[in-house]
Amino acid sequence: MRLTDVRPQKGSKKRPRRLGRGVSAGQGASAGKGMRGQKARSGGSTRPGFEGGQQPLYRRIPKLKGFPLVNPKKYTTINVEKLASLPANTEVTLTSLKEAGILTASRGPLKILGDGELSVPLKVQAAAFTGTARSKIEAAGGSCEVLE
């Protein structure tokens, strides 16, 4: 076998389309690009995402960092330092905090945040806890119960 004997497989090489070279060539006149218009012109088409000068979808919708949440979870938040004024071994719920006057309004389920110090053991029942809040309540000898 010699280098001159090496040839591509029969049928693997296709001749290029001869565009705009008459009807008999198969791609005559408009070269298979339809009638007139921006996409029929030489120089190819528009870039991906181009909408004819209108502000494209990828610039219209995701303002700033990512898409906004459609139904965001709204919590009534309170820090651990506000719970320090309660007596030891009390059950802390959304209703008990309202009765004690620590919370005035509720904007949804209760969420405990971890700012401040806590030295009193409490039995806290809330919909959500931050990691620092959970660790501070349990370090003080209390318990955290997640409500559904």
Side-chain angles (χ1 to χ4, degrees), residues 10 49 66 135:
K10 182 102 175 127
S135 63

Side-chain angles (χ1 to χ4, degrees), residues 33-99:
K33 293 187 173 204
M35 299 292 274
R36 292 170 220 105
Q38 189 173 13
K39 291 194 274 183
R41 307 294 184 211
S42 66
S45 188
T46 57
R47 67 180 180 277
F50 183 71
E51 296 183 21
Q54 171 180 298
Q55 190 76 296
L57 186 71
Y58 70 90
R59 299 257 326 260
R60 278 199 308 267
I61 293 177
K63 299 286 182 192
L64 300 176
K65 293 185 179 180
F67 293 86
L69 293 173
V70 177
N71 295 317
K73 288 184 180 176
K74 290 191 172 94
Y75 289 107
T76 304
T77 57
I78 188 166
N79 278 308
V80 169
E81 65 184 353
K82 300 274 179 137
L83 305 178
S85 62
L86 294 168
N89 296 321
T90 55
E91 284 203 13
V92 180
T93 60
L94 186 59
T95 52
S96 69
L97 290 172
K98 274 185 168 177
E99 288 168 7

